[in-house]
Amino acid sequence: MQKFDGVDFLEIDGLFSDEEILVRDSVRRFVSDRVLPVIERHNREGTFPADLIPGMAELGMLGANLQGYGCAGLNNVAYGLIMQELGRGDSGVRSFVSVQGALCMYPIYSYGSDAQKEKYLPRMAKGEAIGCFGLTEADFGSNPSGMRTSARKDGNSYILNGSKMWITNGGIADVAIVWGRLDGVIRGFLVDRGTPGYSTKDIHGKWSLRASVTSELTFQDCRIPLDNILPGVEGLKGPLGCLNQARYGIAWGGLGAAMACYHEALEYSKTRIQFDRPIAGFQMVQEKLAWMIREITKGQLLALQLGRLKDAGKVKAHQVSLGKMNNVQVGLQCARLAREILGANGITDEYQCGRHMCNLESVYTYEGTHDIHTLVLGEAVTGIPAYK
């Protein structure tokens, strides 16, 4: 297939700074040279390509939009472009970077003590320590306020009990950011791998995100030091603030997957001959390609404006919800349309669209389901919450 040089129907590249373009192109090369040659094997085998971590760290992808502690200190548009290019490679690989930075490094950076920041952030930026984010429970996904995981103070320790489900990076994480109730108030705790009473169990048999580690975390009288509580936040605003960071990145990542599928379908349609002509010359195929480029272009403008608002400190949670729900839906539909254009070839892993399609089914649901984000927008425009 022809080399991927981007998708830019409306000359949107002219709206990026030189630094943003440099970051994007560096990650684009990394994805083309390092991710794509191995990702189908890992997808088949259900394994995470851990050997990519040092390269991602070297390029500053881990906690890229954080300042200090060995982080790249990029603006949020550059960070978004990193997520876009990783999403073009594989949503599982992008999820690893997203969880490491937005869901683990970010809460330590924003809510942690100076000692916690110094202990964890430099090692996490180098990829020497991996994090996971424990919020979702088996019975509480869209309603995290119902969580049952709890902590109690016992001398110079907290004792955690409970479990978390569907946790990305769980089985490989060196530290878990765990949310539970302390005296009835939701708090964040740092739980190191190897702490007695803390165990993980990987989830197998997934149709989706197969090149990503997904796990259950269990805490049975798990004793952690008092210093391992995040002192800077109480209540649901803590985990929801982290999720907002990740959802922003997902808005870009969904676009990356959409671009991969569009590019694959376009190139295939120009070389696939039926009835003595390329199928790209048929109206029904052109209608699909036109829909894809139209929605990708709108999604690019949406993501870019979110990034500019975020860099200006003006972005609102419901605006991020719009980006996440729209761009993931666009990515999923582009994958489905690409599969239609590729016909039977689209169901084999010689091509990308089937893998992106399966992966995006999970992205459509995680970190706020499409339906929940729809209701967030509904409340934003009406002032009436429909999900309570």
Side-chain angles (χ1 to χ4, degrees), residues 43 205-210 354-355 358-359 362:
N43 191 66
K206 299 182 296 180
W207 293 111
S208 181
L209 297 177
R210 290 181 50 78
R355 174 169 51 83
C358 289
N359 284 343
S362 288

Side-chain angles (χ1 to χ4, degrees), residues 108-126:
I108 296 172
Y109 181 87
S110 299
Y111 312 137
S113 66
D114 289 341
Q116 289 168 350
K117 295 174 188 178
E118 293 292 346
K119 177 180 179 180
Y120 292 103
L121 291 180
R123 294 180 61 231
M124 296 180 81
K126 294 176 183 176

Side-chain angles (χ1 to χ4, degrees), residues 136-361:
T136 297
E137 299 184 359
D139 294 326
F140 297 98
S142 295
N143 178 27
S145 64
M147 72 175 66
R148 296 194 182 101
T149 298
S150 64
R152 61 180 175 86
K153 187 177 179 181
D154 183 55
N156 61 354
S157 304
Y158 294 113
I159 298 178
L160 285 175
N161 280 283
S163 64
K164 301 295 181 178
M165 195 67 172
W166 306 113
I167 308 305
T168 299
N169 297 352
I172 60 173
D174 299 289
V175 59
I177 313 295
V178 180
W179 302 92
R181 296 186 183 280
L182 175 65
D183 299 325
V185 179
I186 293 174
R187 300 297 300 270
F189 302 90
L190 297 164
V191 184
D192 293 309
R193 171 175 291 280
T195 302
Y198 170 41
S199 61
T200 67
K201 180 181 179 181
D202 290 346
I203 298 167
H204 299 289
K206 299 182 296 180
W207 293 111
S208 181
L209 297 177
R210 290 181 50 78
S212 174
V213 177
T214 309
S215 313
E216 179 181 10
L217 315 182
T218 301
F219 309 93
Q220 295 182 331
D221 293 329
C222 178
R223 185 179 293 270
I224 63 172
L226 293 181
D227 289 343
N228 281 32
I229 195 170
L230 293 174
V233 71
E234 296 183 1
L236 266 181
K237 66 181 181 180
L240 293 183
C242 303
L243 288 169
N244 222 36
Q245 304 300 313
R247 290 163 179 163
Y248 166 75
I250 292 170
W252 289 88
L255 277 181
M259 291 176 181
C261 294
Y262 166 77
H263 179 253
E264 181 171 71
L266 176 61
E267 295 304 315
Y268 180 90
S269 70
K270 291 191 290 187
T271 59
R272 173 66 170 172
I273 307 299
Q274 290 291 289
F275 303 104
D276 301 319
R277 63 189 297 198
I279 62 172
F282 292 104
Q283 291 181 357
M284 293 302 292
V285 172
Q286 289 193 3
E287 189 277 334
K288 292 178 174 67
L289 293 170
W291 187 94
M292 294 161 78
I293 192 60
R294 181 187 79 201
E295 295 303 322
I296 289 171
T297 300
K298 290 191 290 186
Q300 288 174 299
L301 294 171
L302 171 56
L304 176 58
Q305 177 63 0
L306 285 176
R308 297 296 185 220
L309 288 172
K310 190 167 171 54
D311 280 328
K314 296 179 180 180
V315 75
K316 298 178 175 62
H318 61 263
Q319 294 169 331
V320 176
S321 286
L322 174 63
K324 192 271 185 184
M325 66 174 292
N326 182 83
N327 287 2
V328 173
Q329 184 178 45
V330 167
L332 182 55
Q333 185 61 15
C334 283
R336 290 169 174 167
L337 290 173
R339 209 293 305 161
E340 290 182 23
I341 292 172
L342 268 66
N345 284 323
I347 69 167
T348 71
D349 63 10
E350 181 181 353
Y351 297 89
Q352 302 178 60
C353 60
R355 174 169 51 83
H356 284 297
M357 183 169 60
C358 289
N359 284 343
L360 289 167
E361 287 289 351

